[in-house]
Coordinates of all heavy atoms in Angstrom, one line a residue:
M105 N 192.9 61.5 22.9 CA 193.1 62.9 23.3 C 194.7 63.2 23.2 O 195.1 64.3 22.8 CB 192.7 63.1 24.7 CG 192.6 64.6 25.1 SD 191.7 65.5 23.9 CE 190.1 64.8 24.1
G106 N 195.5 62.2 23.5 CA 197.0 62.4 23.4 C 197.4 62.8 22.0 O 198.2 63.6 21.8
Q107 N 196.7 62.2 21.0 CA 197.0 62.6 19.6 C 196.6 64.0 19.3 O 197.3 64.7 18.6 CB 196.2 61.6 18.7 CG 196.7 60.2 18.7 CD 195.9 59.3 17.9 OE1 195.0 59.7 17.1 NE2 196.0 58.0 18.1
F108 N 195.5 64.4 19.9 CA 195.1 65.9 19.7 C 196.2 66.8 20.4 O 196.5 67.8 19.8 CB 193.8 66.2 20.4 CG 192.6 65.6 19.7 CD1 191.4 65.4 20.4 CD2 192.6 65.1 18.4 CE1 190.2 64.9 19.7 CE2 191.6 64.5 17.8 CZ 190.4 64.4 18.5
M109 N 196.7 66.3 21.5 CA 197.7 67.1 22.3 C 198.9 67.2 21.4 O 199.6 68.2 21.3 CB 198.0 66.6 23.6 CG 196.8 66.8 24.6 SD 197.2 66.0 26.2 CE 198.4 67.2 26.8
E110 N 199.4 66.1 20.8 CA 200.6 66.1 20.0 C 200.4 67.1 18.8 O 201.3 67.8 18.5 CB 200.8 64.7 19.4 CG 201.5 63.7 20.4 CD 201.5 62.4 19.9 OE1 201.5 62.1 18.6 OE2 201.5 61.4 20.7
L111 N 199.2 67.0 18.2 CA 199.0 67.9 17.0 C 199.0 69.4 17.5 O 199.5 70.3 16.8 CB 197.6 67.5 16.4 CG 197.4 68.0 15.0 CD1 198.5 67.6 14.0 CD2 196.0 67.4 14.5
A112 N 198.3 69.6 18.6 CA 198.2 71.0 19.1 C 199.6 71.5 19.5 O 199.9 72.7 19.2 CB 197.3 71.1 20.3
T113 N 200.5 70.7 20.0 CA 201.8 71.1 20.4 C 202.7 71.3 19.1 O 203.3 72.3 19.1 CB 202.5 70.0 21.2 OG1 201.6 69.7 22.4 CG2 203.9 70.3 21.7
A114 N 202.5 70.5 18.1 CA 203.3 70.6 16.9 C 203.0 71.9 16.2 O 203.8 72.4 15.5 CB 203.1 69.4 16.0
T115 N 201.7 72.3 16.3 CA 201.2 73.6 15.6 C 201.1 74.7 16.5 O 200.6 75.8 16.2 CB 199.8 73.3 15.0 OG1 198.9 72.8 16.0 CG2 200.0 72.3 13.8
Y116 N 201.6 74.6 17.8 CA 201.5 75.7 18.8 C 202.0 77.1 18.2 O 201.3 78.0 18.4 CB 202.2 75.4 20.1 CG 202.1 76.5 21.1 CD1 201.0 76.6 22.0 CD2 203.1 77.4 21.2 CE1 200.9 77.6 22.9 CE2 203.0 78.4 22.1 CZ 201.9 78.6 23.0 OH 201.8 79.5 23.9
N117 N 203.1 77.0 17.7 CA 203.8 78.2 17.2 C 202.8 79.0 16.2 O 202.5 80.1 16.3 CB 205.1 77.9 16.6 CG 205.9 79.2 16.2 OD1 205.4 80.3 16.2 ND2 207.1 79.0 15.7
A118 N 202.4 78.2 15.2 CA 201.5 78.8 14.1 C 200.2 79.3 14.7 O 199.6 80.3 14.4 CB 201.3 77.8 13.1
T119 N 199.7 78.5 15.7 CA 198.4 78.8 16.3 C 198.5 80.1 17.1 O 197.7 81.0 17.1 CB 197.9 77.7 17.2 OG1 198.0 76.4 16.5 CG2 196.4 77.9 17.6
Y120 N 199.6 80.1 17.8 CA 199.9 81.3 18.7 C 199.9 82.6 17.8 O 199.3 83.6 18.1 CB 201.2 81.2 19.4 CG 201.5 82.3 20.5 CD1 201.0 82.2 21.8 CD2 202.1 83.5 20.0 CE1 201.2 83.2 22.7 CE2 202.3 84.5 20.9 CZ 201.9 84.3 22.2 OH 202.1 85.3 23.1
E121 N 200.6 82.5 16.6 CA 200.8 83.6 15.7 C 199.4 84.0 15.3 O 199.1 85.2 15.1 CB 201.6 83.3 14.5 CG 203.1 83.1 14.9 CD 203.7 84.4 15.4 OE1 203.5 85.5 14.9 OE2 204.6 84.3 16.4
K122 N 198.6 83.1 14.9 CA 197.1 83.4 14.3 C 196.4 84.1 15.5 O 195.7 85.1 15.1 CB 196.4 82.1 13.9 CG 197.0 81.8 12.5 CD 195.9 80.8 11.8 CE 196.6 80.5 10.4 NZ 196.6 79.1 10.2
F123 N 196.4 83.6 16.6 CA 195.6 84.3 17.7 C 196.1 85.6 18.0 O 195.3 86.6 18.1 CB 195.6 83.4 19.0 CG 194.6 82.4 19.1 CD1 194.9 81.0 18.9 CD2 193.3 82.8 19.5 CE1 193.9 80.1 19.0 CE2 192.3 81.8 19.6 CZ 192.5 80.4 19.3
K124 N 197.5 85.8 17.9 CA 198.0 87.1 18.2 C 197.7 88.1 17.1 O 197.3 89.2 17.4 CB 199.5 87.0 18.3 CG 200.2 88.2 19.0 CD 201.7 88.0 19.2 CE 202.4 88.2 17.9 NZ 203.9 87.9 18.0
N125 N 197.7 87.7 15.9 CA 197.4 88.6 14.7 C 196.0 89.0 14.8 O 195.7 90.2 14.6 CB 197.8 87.9 13.4 CG 199.2 87.8 13.2 OD1 200.0 88.4 13.9 ND2 199.7 86.9 12.3
V126 N 195.1 88.1 15.0 CA 193.7 88.4 15.1 C 193.4 89.4 16.2 O 192.7 90.3 16.1 CB 192.7 87.1 15.2 CG1 191.3 87.6 15.5 CG2 192.9 86.3 14.0
A127 N 194.1 89.1 17.4 CA 193.9 89.9 18.5 C 194.3 91.3 18.3 O 193.6 92.3 18.7 CB 194.7 89.3 19.7
K128 N 195.4 91.4 17.6 CA 195.9 92.8 17.3 C 195.1 93.5 16.2 O 194.7 94.6 16.4 CB 197.4 92.8 16.9 CG 198.2 92.4 18.1 CD 199.7 92.7 18.0 CE 200.4 92.6 19.4 NZ 201.8 92.3 19.2
E129 N 194.8 92.8 15.0 CA 194.1 93.4 14.0 C 192.7 93.8 14.4 O 192.2 94.8 14.0 CB 194.0 92.4 12.8 CG 195.3 92.4 11.9 CD 195.4 91.2 11.0 OE1 194.3 90.5 10.8 OE2 196.5 90.9 10.7
D130 N 192.1 93.0 15.2 CA 190.7 93.3 15.5 C 190.5 93.8 16.9 O 189.4 94.0 17.4 CB 189.8 91.9 15.3 CG 189.7 91.5 13.9 OD1 188.8 92.0 13.2 OD2 190.6 90.7 13.5
N131 N 191.6 94.2 17.5 CA 191.6 94.9 18.8 C 190.8 94.2 19.8 O 189.8 94.8 20.4 CB 191.1 96.3 18.5 CG 191.6 97.3 19.5 OD1 192.5 97.0 20.3 ND2 191.1 98.6 19.3
I132 N 191.1 92.9 20.1 CA 190.2 92.1 20.9 C 190.3 92.6 22.4 O 191.4 92.8 22.9 CB 190.7 90.6 20.8 CG1 190.4 90.1 19.4 CG2 189.9 89.7 21.8 CD1 189.0 90.2 18.9
D133 N 189.1 92.7 23.0 CA 189.0 93.1 24.4 C 188.8 92.0 25.4 O 189.2 92.0 26.5 CB 187.8 94.1 24.6 CG 187.8 95.3 23.7 OD1 188.7 96.0 23.8 OD2 186.9 95.4 22.8
L134 N 188.2 90.9 24.8 CA 187.9 89.8 25.7 C 188.1 88.5 24.9 O 187.7 88.3 23.8 CB 186.4 89.8 26.2 CG 185.9 88.6 26.9 CD1 186.5 88.5 28.3 CD2 184.3 88.8 27.0
F135 N 188.8 87.5 25.6 CA 189.0 86.2 25.0 C 188.0 85.2 25.7 O 188.0 85.2 26.9 CB 190.4 85.7 25.2 CG 191.4 86.4 24.3 CD1 191.8 87.7 24.6 CD2 192.1 85.8 23.3 CE1 192.7 88.4 23.8 CE2 193.0 86.4 22.5 CZ 193.3 87.7 22.7
I136 N 187.4 84.4 24.8 CA 186.7 83.2 25.4 C 187.3 82.0 24.8 O 187.2 81.7 23.6 CB 185.2 83.3 25.0 CG1 184.6 84.7 25.5 CG2 184.4 82.1 25.5 CD1 183.1 84.9 25.2
C137 N 188.0 81.2 25.6 CA 188.8 80.1 25.1 C 188.3 78.7 25.5 O 188.1 78.5 26.7 CB 190.3 80.3 25.6 SG 191.1 81.7 25.2
D138 N 188.1 77.9 24.6 CA 187.9 76.5 24.8 C 189.1 76.0 25.5 O 190.3 76.3 25.1 CB 187.7 75.7 23.5 CG 187.4 74.3 23.7 OD1 187.3 73.8 24.8 OD2 187.2 73.6 22.6
A139 N 188.9 75.2 26.7 CA 190.1 74.8 27.5 C 190.9 73.7 26.9 O 192.0 73.6 27.2 CB 189.7 74.5 28.9
L140 N 190.3 73.0 25.9 CA 190.9 71.8 25.4 C 192.0 72.1 24.4 O 191.7 72.7 23.4 CB 189.8 70.8 24.9 CG 190.3 69.5 24.5 CD1 190.5 68.6 25.7 CD2 189.4 68.8 23.5
V141 N 193.2 71.6 24.7 CA 194.4 71.8 23.8 C 194.4 73.1 23.2 O 194.7 73.2 22.0 CB 194.6 70.6 22.8 CG1 194.9 69.3 23.5 CG2 193.4 70.4 21.9
N142 N 194.1 74.1 23.9 CA 194.0 75.5 23.4 C 194.8 76.5 24.1 O 194.4 77.6 24.4 CB 192.5 75.8 23.4 CG 192.1 76.9 22.4 OD1 192.8 77.1 21.4 ND2 191.0 77.6 22.7
Q143 N 196.1 76.0 24.5 CA 196.9 76.9 25.3 C 197.2 78.2 24.5 O 197.4 79.2 25.2 CB 198.3 76.2 25.5 CG 198.2 75.1 26.6 CD 198.1 75.8 28.0 OE1 198.9 76.5 28.4 NE2 197.0 75.5 28.6
A144 N 197.3 78.2 23.2 CA 197.7 79.4 22.5 C 196.7 80.5 22.7 O 197.1 81.6 23.0 CB 197.7 79.1 21.0
C145 N 195.4 80.2 22.8 CA 194.4 81.2 23.0 C 194.6 81.8 24.3 O 194.6 83.1 24.5 CB 193.0 80.5 22.9 SG 191.6 81.5 23.1
I146 N 194.8 81.0 25.4 CA 194.9 81.5 26.8 C 196.2 82.3 26.9 O 196.3 83.3 27.5 CB 194.9 80.3 27.7 CG1 193.5 79.6 27.6 CG2 195.2 80.7 29.2 CD1 193.4 78.2 28.2
D147 N 197.4 81.8 26.3 CA 198.6 82.4 26.4 C 198.6 83.8 25.7 O 199.3 84.7 26.2 CB 199.7 81.5 25.8 CG 200.0 80.3 26.6 OD1 199.6 80.3 27.8 OD2 200.5 79.3 26.1
V148 N 198.0 83.9 24.5 CA 197.9 85.2 23.8 C 197.2 86.2 24.7 O 197.6 87.4 24.9 CB 197.3 85.1 22.4 CG1 197.0 86.4 21.9 CG2 198.3 84.3 21.5

Side-chain angles (χ1 to χ4, degrees):
M105 193 53 63
Q107 293 174 13
F108 290 165
M109 286 177 76
E110 279 169 28
L111 196 54
T113 301
T115 54
Y116 176 86
N117 186 354
T119 312
Y120 186 92
E121 292 295 322
K122 280 201 182 128
F123 270 104
K124 196 175 76 184
N125 291 341
V126 172
K128 290 198 166 154
E129 276 161 25
D130 294 276
N131 209 4
I132 296 300
D133 303 298
L134 170 69
F135 285 72
I136 301 181
C137 300
D138 182 1
L140 188 77
V141 294
N142 201 20
Q143 282 287 302
C145 180
I146 297 165
D147 290 338
V148 167

